[in-house]
Amino acid sequence: MAPQIELTTTLDELYSLDGGSSDDVALVYAFPYPTQLAASLPVSHKYAYQGPRTIKLSADTMARFFLGCLAQYYGFIAGPMDLYLFDLDKTKAEIADDSIKSKKAIPTHRTDAERVLQDLQTSQQPKLHFVKDSKTVATIDKKKAVITPMDFLDGHDPLVDQDAHWNLLSKRTLALSDLPSPPTEVIDSILRADDQTILNEEAVLEKEIDRMLKRIASRPLPFVVKLPQGLGGHAVFMITEEEKRQSCLTLLRAELPS
């Protein structure tokens, strides 16, 4: 048996540094994806994430990566705090297995998370919970700390205001701030996200997409294109030649309507 891992410090300890208490906080960890990966976590529309360059794998594979591996990665340093991870949909093999056995097996994503966290010393292991339905998170009588904002937590005691959190993560906010950054042009849409009448008019939408993409089509090489909120570099384009410019324009023309 491998020796247990001892962390030099944990989130549990850091929360107390400014007089706070980790007992008042629940870690609700998932890495949202542009499309819904599991029934337990609805897709975010207000806090929308883009990944036009993401390699398209099976939904189960993507769920195990974004809701499993990444959530475990961030949760590993939690210490003895309440850690909530989202259940994955059962695979066809798990459903078939349940149908022939009197006692249902523990889903593999649960045993995987438990096995990973058990590598920590007992005193530093998170108190692991699994979420079957995001609506139940609202009933947790604690502030909810997240990796990134998620729509369903609005109005349900997020530890950090979600709009402020979202803006801090946005590349647009960085570009417009006084922080040192490369010369940047922000291309904002002039359409309002809450005006569904206009957004449902295809001609209006196409005209706005043409306007926004025109700056990319005419800008001298080389340059970088970044969408406001991306996943793992999958919303970043390095435009060094005309072929890459055209590839970027094709992907963005498909991405922008959403």
Side-chain angles (χ1 to χ4, degrees):
M1 182 177 178
Q4 287 191 309
I5 297 168
E6 181 180 5
L7 303 174
T8 55
T9 191
T10 64
L11 283 179
D12 176 73
E13 296 165 322
L14 294 178
Y15 272 110
S16 66
L17 292 182
D18 60 357
S21 172
S22 62
D23 292 335
D24 300 330
V25 180
L27 305 176
V28 182
Y29 279 3
F31 217 96
Y33 189 71
T35 58
Q36 188 163 3
L37 295 177
S40 61
L41 181 64
V43 68
S44 285
H45 296 286
K46 177 182 177 183
Y47 305 111
Y49 299 85
Q50 298 97 17
R53 296 180 61 241
T54 303
I55 298 173
K56 301 300 187 288
L57 301 173
S58 70
D60 180 66
T61 299
M62 301 302 283
R64 290 179 186 278
F65 181 69
F66 285 99
L67 305 185
C69 295
L70 285 177
Q72 292 173 29
Y73 173 79
Y74 281 90
F76 196 78
I77 62 169
M81 296 182 66
D82 285 309
L83 173 62
Y84 290 81
L85 305 183
F86 289 82
D87 268 331
L88 275 58
D89 296 341
K90 288 187 176 182
T91 63
K92 291 181 180 179
E94 288 173 330
I95 294 173
D97 198 44
D98 285 348
S99 68
I100 60 176
K101 291 184 177 179
S102 58
K103 184 178 180 180
K104 294 183 179 180
I106 299 173
T108 54
H109 68 273
R110 291 192 175 192
T111 56
D112 177 64
E114 290 167 354
R115 186 169 58 248
V116 168
L117 297 176
Q118 283 171 359
D119 283 339
L120 289 162
Q121 287 197 355
T122 303
S123 63
Q124 293 185 328
Q125 291 177 12
K127 303 166 189 173
L128 187 58
H129 312 268
F130 290 94
V131 178
K132 292 183 179 180
D133 184 341
S134 62
K135 294 177 182 177
T136 63
V137 176
T139 65
I140 301 171
D141 190 22
K142 293 188 177 186
K143 294 287 187 180
K144 290 83 174 174
V146 299
I147 301 170
T148 56
M150 294 177 279
D151 288 11
F152 76 90
L153 278 179
D154 270 350
H156 297 298
D157 290 327
L159 181 63
V160 178
D161 178 83
Q162 293 219 112
D163 288 338
H165 190 174
W166 177 255
N167 287 329
L168 286 171
L169 293 174
S170 171
K171 297 175 181 67
R172 181 183 188 279
T173 301
L174 176 62
L176 298 177
S177 73
D178 292 329
L179 296 172
S181 61
T184 304
E185 176 185 1
V186 176
I187 306 174
D188 282 329
S189 173
I190 59 176
L191 301 181
R192 292 171 53 89
D194 57 355
D195 193 339
Q196 291 300 315
T197 302
I198 292 178
L199 294 180
N200 288 333
E201 294 184 18
E202 187 174 342
V204 173
L205 197 56
E206 284 295 323
K207 182 177 179 180
E208 175 62 359
I209 291 173
D210 287 341
R211 183 193 69 81
M212 296 178 71
L213 295 183
K214 183 177 180 180
R215 296 296 303 130
I216 297 173
S218 61
R219 190 176 184 86
L221 300 173
F223 59 96
V224 177
V225 175
K226 293 186 176 184
L227 297 180
Q229 296 281 7
L231 298 166
H234 293 159
V236 178
F237 301 84
M238 303 289 291
I239 313 299
T240 57
E241 56 189 57
E242 285 301 328
E243 184 178 353
K244 291 184 177 179
R245 188 204 304 266
Q246 293 308 313
S247 176
C248 170
L249 289 170
T250 299
L251 285 172
L252 290 184
R253 185 167 291 281
E255 178 78 9
L256 288 177
S258 61

